[in-house]
Amino acid sequence: DGGITQSPKYLFRKEGQNVTLSCEQNLNHDAMYWYRQDPGQGLRLIYYSQIVNDFQKGDIAEGYSVSREKKESFPLTVTSAQKNPTAFYLCASSIGEGLAGAEQFFGPGTRLTVL
Amino acid sequence: DQQVKQNSPSLSVQEGRISILNCDYTNSMFDYFLWYKKYPAEGPTFLISISSIKDKNEDGRFTVFLNKSAKHLSLHIVPSQPGDSAVYFCAASSMYSGGGADGLTFGKGTHLIIQP
């Protein structure tokens, strides 16, 4: 059963700690993305990766870091430099090419709360 | 500066009637548009899309209309059903900036409420 998994569903961390959010896909998609959603806001792009070992900053990359060592995995680290880390984080993937590359499939999300 | 705007934060429609959700964009480089549906605490699910070479795309109860000159698109749901109650996001992409793989620009969403 193909899809995107994000774990955990809820995550609590103390202020000043780094935290890594997991995202795995078995859709054989080349491209992967991280978005954050805040209340009353749309999804904002943090980072994206079109191919293994390569990634680009999105609109709000400050305070975040990513890696793409495997096609299936695109973990996101929320660092202590991120001023407002409490949010709902969504991972997505797409085939990455052409018009169909714009159609992204989303995971269930991780709600991060920094105390 | 918001490049994709959904000016109605919420919309209430009676069951069985037509729901019309609107979206405006400012970036003329956008040439592919998508609608996503989202329930609370879940990831968005893809609904329907349209390329800028078309002005209409239909899939069952869902139809998206694109007016390029007005930089406006709309999603029509007919007939509206209780399960349609969700937040709907409009999103846009530009094939000019490297293809569809470089991320989507989303609107803030419209909360559709279907009244029984």
Side-chain angles (χ1 to χ4, degrees):
Chain A
D1 197 14
I4 302 176
T5 57
Q6 291 185 244
S7 59
K9 181 80 172 171
Y10 299 95
L11 190 55
F12 296 88
R13 279 295 181 269
K14 290 183 180 178
E15 197 171 343
Q17 287 182 333
N18 290 358
V19 60
T20 297
L21 281 61
S22 159
C23 177
E24 305 277 331
Q25 55 98 1
N26 61 5
L27 300 167
N28 200 33
H29 284 170
D30 284 317
M32 296 187 74
Y33 313 82
W34 275 105
Y35 294 89
R36 74 175 269 171
Q37 186 190 15
D38 295 283
Q41 300 291 320
L43 282 64
R44 292 183 291 166
L45 183 65
I46 304 172
Y47 266 99
Y48 64 99
S49 167
Q50 297 182 356
I51 198 167
V52 174
N53 292 323
D54 187 45
F55 48 83
Q56 284 79 40
K57 293 182 180 180
D59 300 321
I60 55 165
E62 187 175 348
Y64 298 97
S65 66
V66 292
S67 63
R68 186 85 187 278
E69 296 175 4
K70 298 187 298 181
K71 187 175 184 177
E72 302 80 22
S73 178
F74 191 40
L76 173 75
T77 297
V78 185
T79 76
S80 56
Q82 167 50 233
K83 291 185 172 57
N84 296 298
T86 294
F88 188 52
Y89 289 87
L90 287 157
C91 179
S93 70
S94 79
I95 66 169
E97 285 187 6
L99 286 178
E103 294 177 16
Q104 296 178 14
F105 295 81
F106 284 83
T110 292
R111 180 161 298 282
L112 172 65
T113 302
V114 175
L115 305 170
Chain B
D1 182 32
Q2 260 197 297
Q3 298 186 66
V4 177
K5 299 178 186 178
Q6 294 178 258
N7 292 321
S8 299
S10 67
L11 175 67
S12 186
V13 174
Q14 224 171 0
E15 183 179 354
R17 301 272 187 144
I18 183 170
S19 296
I20 301 176
L21 294 94
N22 293 305
C23 178
D24 297 292
Y25 61 98
T26 57
N27 188 343
S28 55
M29 300 294 278
F30 287 146
D31 53 9
Y32 195 66
F33 305 90
L34 306 91
W35 284 94
Y36 282 84
K37 176 181 179 180
K38 186 182 182 300
Y39 294 116
E42 292 184 11
T45 53
F46 170 74
L47 263 182
I48 192 168
S49 62
I50 188 166
S51 162
S52 59
I53 61 173
K54 295 185 176 181
D55 55 19
K56 177 183 173 181
N57 188 26
E58 195 171 349
D59 184 2
R61 295 186 299 115
F62 302 92
T63 303
V64 56
F65 295 92
L66 175 63
N67 183 334
K68 277 182 62 180
S69 60
K71 293 192 178 69
H72 176 84
L73 60 153
S74 61
L75 173 68
H76 293 211
I77 306 172
V78 56
S80 300
Q81 299 174 354
D84 296 331
S85 294
V87 177
Y88 289 79
F89 289 100
C90 173
S93 174
S94 170
M95 293 298 118
Y96 289 105
S97 56
D102 60 346
L104 296 170
T105 301
F106 283 84
K108 292 189 177 182
T110 296
H111 185 194
L112 176 63
I113 301 160
I114 305 301
Q115 308 269 11

